[in-house]
Amino acid sequence: MQYQSTRDKSVRVASAYAIKTGLAADGGLYVPEQIPKLSLSEIAALAPMSYNDRAVNILSRFLTDFSEEEVTTCVNRAYSKEKFETVEIAPLFKLAQGVYFLELWHGPTCAFKDMALQILPHLLKRSIEKTGETKEVVILVATSGDTGKAALEGFRDVEGTRIIVFYPADGVSDVQKRQMVTQEGNNVDVAAVSGNFDDAQSGVKQIFTDNEYADVLARNNFLLSSANSINWGRLVPQIVYYFSSYASMLKNEEITLGEKVNFVVPTGNFGDILAAYYAKEMGLPVAKLICASNENNVLTDFINTGVYDRNRSFKTTTSPSMDILISSNLERFLFHVTGGDDARVSAWMKDLKDAGRYEVPELTKNKIKEIFWGGFCDDAETFAQIDSVNREFGYVMDTHTAVAKGVYDKYVKETGDETKTVIVSTASPFKFSDSVLSAIQGEDATEGKDPFDLLDELAQTTGLLIPQGLSGLREKPVIFTAVCEKTEMYDVVSHMLNLA
Ligand SMILES: *Cc1c(COP(=O)(O)O)cnc(C)c1O
C-alpha cells in the first residue's frame, strides 16, 4: 500500500518512508491510498486474540512494506509486561448498562499517548533501516503536555535517534512538566517555549517545512522527523484499540457481531478520533463518533457549522492536553471526506494559515454531521462530572475523560440515543490530581498544596495506587531548565545538535 500527501496526490511513498519523514515535503500529511476493509468474520476472529495479536492483525494491513515478523517484533516490544501495568493493555471498564470506558492510560507515562509512542520508535527504527537511511534521525516534538513525556520515554536510548521536546511554558500541569524536565536518557533534550501549545506546534512545523534548514541538517548528517500525531506511525497504532475494544465487547458478550457502538473521544489535535474514523471506514460497526472538546471548542463549532475558525481567544483549561485551536489531523479527514480533493485541502490549509479560517461547502458539512456529533464542556461541568461519577459509581476520571463523559451526557439528552457507547479514557486521574481532588473535595482541599503531596492524597481518598510512572517523581533531579521564545526555536535545535 502506498501513502499520498493530502496536498498533492501524485506524491506516493511506502509506509516506511512516510514514517521516517513524518510530514510530506509540501507540508501535507501522509494518508493511505486505500483504506483496508475487514469483514464481520474477520472482526469476530479478533475476539479471542490478545491485544498484541489484534495489533499485528490491524497494523499489517497498513504497513504492507513490513514483514509480519517485523510488525510482531515492534508490537511485542511496545506492549509488554515491563511497559504496561495490565496484560489487557487497553482494558474496558463497564460503568453502567451500555456505557464503557476504554482505559488507555496503563502505559509508562499514564496517558493514552503511550499507546502510540511506545511502538513508534520501533516502527521508525525499522523504517530507517528499510529506506537505507544513514543519517541520524532527530525527532522534534511540540507537546501540549502528554505527548512530550510519552515520546521521551519511547525514544530514550533508541539507537540512531535523538529527540528534542518543546513544551509551552504556559499550559502544562506541574506533574507533566516534572515528568519532562527530569527525563533520563543519552539522546534526549527538553526546552520550554514562551506561549501556548499552538506557538510551540507552529514553531516546530515551521522548522519542519524549511528546506534550507533541512539542507543544513543534512550536511551535518541529521534528518528531521516527527513523533506528533501528524506522523502516520503515530496514528496507525491508535486504530488498533478501537477494534480491540469492540473485540473485547464481543468476547464478553456485551454486544452481538455487527451491532453498532458509539465512541466518545476527548479531542485536541484530532488524532485519536481520526483513528476511530479510520476504524469505521475499515468496517468496524460504529454508529456515531462523538467529538468532545473543552472550552477551546473550535471543533464543536466546525462540526455544527462547517466553519473552522481559530480566531478566538485561547483558553487555558483543566484539560490542558486538549487546549488546541489548530487540530492538525483534521486535514487527513478532510482529504478523505472530499474523496481525495488535494487542491481543495491545500486551499483550506492556506486559508487557515493566512486568515485563521476556512469554510467547507454544504455537501461536505452534511457528510461530517452524518459521522460526527460535536459538543464541549467547560471546567465547571468537567469538575461536576468527576464528582458525580465518583459519587454514583465510585469511578474516578481524569479531567480529559470527564470532558468526554460530560459531552456524552449532553449527546444522550439531546438525541435520546441508547446505542451502547465506549467513552475513551485518556489519562490516569493521578496525572491531574490537583483538579481531580478539587472536583471531589472542593477547591479549598488543594489550594496552596504541593502537587506531589496531592498524589498521596488522591491515593488515600480513592484507595487507588499511584501508578509507577508518577510515584517517586518528586525526588527526581531536574535536568532541563531552558526557556526560549518562539523565534529562538531554530537556535535551540542547532545548539542541541552542535551545528556550526
Ligand atoms: C493528547 C490527549 C488528548 C487529545 O488527543 P488528540 O489525539 O490530540 O485529539 C486527550 N486526552 C489526553 C489525556 C491527551 O493526552
Side-chain angles (χ1 to χ4, degrees):
M1 182 190 298
Q2 297 282 298
Y3 289 78
Q4 302 172 299
S5 166
T6 48
R7 299 192 194 174
D8 179 0
K9 275 202 286 199
S10 68
V11 173
R12 292 171 83 249
V13 302
S15 81
Y17 186 86
I19 292 170
K20 181 180 82 173
T21 48
L23 199 64
D26 55 21
L29 309 189
Y30 286 116
V31 288
E33 195 174 41
Q34 319 98 21
I35 298 178
K37 303 269 186 232
L38 277 79
S39 65
L40 283 180
S41 62
E42 286 175 302
I43 292 171
L46 298 172
M49 292 185 192
S50 66
Y51 188 86
N52 289 22
D53 289 344
R54 291 170 183 170
V56 171
N57 186 304
I58 300 299
L59 292 176
S60 301
R61 296 168 195 264
F62 285 102
L63 308 177
T64 51
D65 49 332
F66 285 60
S67 69
E68 187 166 317
E69 192 199 332
E70 285 175 318
V71 175
T72 306
T73 305
C74 292
V75 163
N76 289 340
R77 288 198 179 144
Y79 307 118
S80 68
K81 276 208 293 284
E82 290 71 42
K83 303 282 189 178
F84 282 78
E85 291 195 328
T86 148
V87 286
E88 289 172 273
I89 306 295
L92 268 179
F93 176 87
K94 185 172 183 177
L95 184 76
Q97 195 50 43
V99 184
Y100 308 80
F101 284 108
L102 174 60
E103 296 182 347
L104 301 179
W105 40 263
H106 293 285
T109 75
C110 310
F112 96 96
K113 303 290 195 289
D114 288 329
M115 299 304 299
L117 281 163
Q118 280 300 314
I119 191 168
L120 176 67
H122 303 294
L123 294 174
L124 184 68
K125 206 166 167 260
R126 297 278 151 157
S127 300
I128 294 168
E129 289 159 9
K130 280 180 171 306
T131 53
E133 185 59 60
T134 54
K135 295 189 201 71
E136 191 169 4
V137 172
V138 180
I139 305 297
L140 272 194
V141 181
T143 183
S144 59
D146 293 325
T147 303
K149 177 62 183 180
L152 288 162
E153 218 24 74
F155 278 97
R156 68 184 280 186
D157 299 328
V158 172
E159 228 176 285
T161 70
R162 300 233 199 151
I163 173 159
I164 303 173
V165 170
F166 290 102
Y167 69 91
D170 327 322
V172 298
S173 78
D174 290 316
V175 170
Q176 287 176 322
K177 180 175 169 188
R178 183 69 69 96
Q179 280 187 307
M180 288 188 276
V181 298
T182 59
Q183 178 66 43
E184 292 156 9
N186 60 25
N187 60 341
V188 304
D189 264 301
V190 178
V193 183
S194 309
N196 61 39
F197 172 66
D198 287 326
D199 293 316
Q201 174 162 261
S202 58
V204 161
K205 257 199 151 174
Q206 194 182 342
I207 296 177
F208 261 114
T209 46
D210 185 332
N211 293 333
E212 255 174 61
Y213 194 61
D215 289 342
V216 174
L217 290 171
R219 281 201 296 279
N220 287 274
N221 207 36
F222 290 117
L223 173 79
L224 284 183
S225 189
S226 161
N228 275 97
S229 54
I230 53 173
N231 191 319
W232 179 251
R234 212 6 237 287
L235 202 80
V236 69
Q238 297 184 228
I239 300 171
V240 173
Y241 48 74
Y242 291 100
F243 278 96
S244 179
S245 64
Y246 193 90
S248 296
M249 289 169 87
L250 273 178
K251 187 179 164 192
N252 301 341
E253 298 180 352
E254 301 284 347
I255 51 171
T256 53
L257 185 62
E259 184 175 347
K260 288 187 176 179
V261 299
N262 296 324
F263 287 97
V264 189
V265 188
T267 305
N269 221 0
F270 209 76
D272 202 0
I273 196 163
L274 182 72
Y277 167 74
Y278 278 117
K280 178 176 159 70
E281 291 297 298
M282 289 168 75
L284 190 70
V286 173
K288 218 51 168 189
L289 295 176
I290 298 162
C291 178
S293 300
N294 64 25
E295 272 195 280
N296 294 295
N297 55 358
V298 63
L299 285 167
T300 313
D301 291 346
F302 176 64
I303 291 166
N304 291 324
T305 67
V307 177
Y308 194 98
D309 190 353
R310 63 147 307 183
N311 300 305
R312 59 182 75 203
S313 61
F314 179 90
K315 306 229 166 69
T316 300
T317 74
T318 57
S319 43
S321 303
M322 296 156 66
D323 289 347
I324 290 174
L325 291 179
I326 303 176
S327 301
S328 302
N329 265 300
L330 193 58
E331 180 169 344
R332 284 191 164 109
F333 171 72
L334 292 171
F335 181 85
H336 293 301
V337 81
T338 56
D341 192 340
D342 52 358
R344 224 175 204 174
V345 172
S346 303
W348 287 333
M349 292 305 120
K350 188 171 183 310
D351 288 349
L352 181 63
K353 190 159 180 248
D354 297 344
R357 181 185 188 281
Y358 61 86
E359 179 166 6
V360 300
E362 198 64 20
L363 182 71
T364 311
K365 189 179 132 180
N366 293 340
K367 281 190 187 158
I368 292 170
K369 278 195 144 175
E370 255 169 54
I371 302 165
F372 297 101
W373 192 91
F376 77 100
C377 280
D378 64 20
D379 278 348
E381 291 170 317
T382 305
F383 277 30
Q385 277 292 336
I386 294 173
D387 189 35
S388 69
V389 170
N390 179 47
R391 274 172 208 273
E392 195 175 338
F393 303 99
Y395 185 77
V396 187
M397 300 180 291
D398 95 291
T399 46
H400 304 76
T401 309
V403 167
K405 173 66 168 59
V407 170
Y408 174 60
D409 286 3
K410 291 184 189 193
Y411 169 78
V412 171
K413 200 166 169 208
E414 190 175 309
T415 62
D417 185 9
E418 291 176 356
T419 305
K420 285 168 193 155
T421 297
V422 176
I423 299 171
V424 176
S425 175
T426 50
S428 157
F430 284 96
K431 209 153 182 193
F432 302 94
S433 301
D434 186 339
S435 297
V436 173
L437 273 171
S438 298
I440 293 175
Q441 300 185 327
E443 306 271 349
D444 295 348
T446 58
E447 213 172 293
K449 286 197 184 152
D450 178 310
F452 298 97
D453 289 341
L454 295 177
L455 288 175
D456 298 328
E457 216 164 293
L458 186 61
Q460 273 158 22
T461 308
T462 59
L464 300 170
L465 283 177
I466 304 177
Q468 251 172 35
L470 297 175
S471 58
L473 204 53
R474 184 186 348 221
E475 284 75 35
K476 279 198 167 172
V478 171
I479 300 170
F480 301 101
T481 53
V483 185
C484 72
E485 296 302 316
K486 190 178 158 186
T487 50
E488 296 168 337
M489 288 168 69
Y490 277 94
D491 300 338
V492 171
V493 175
S494 298
H495 181 73
M496 285 172 174
L497 299 178
N498 285 320
L499 301 189

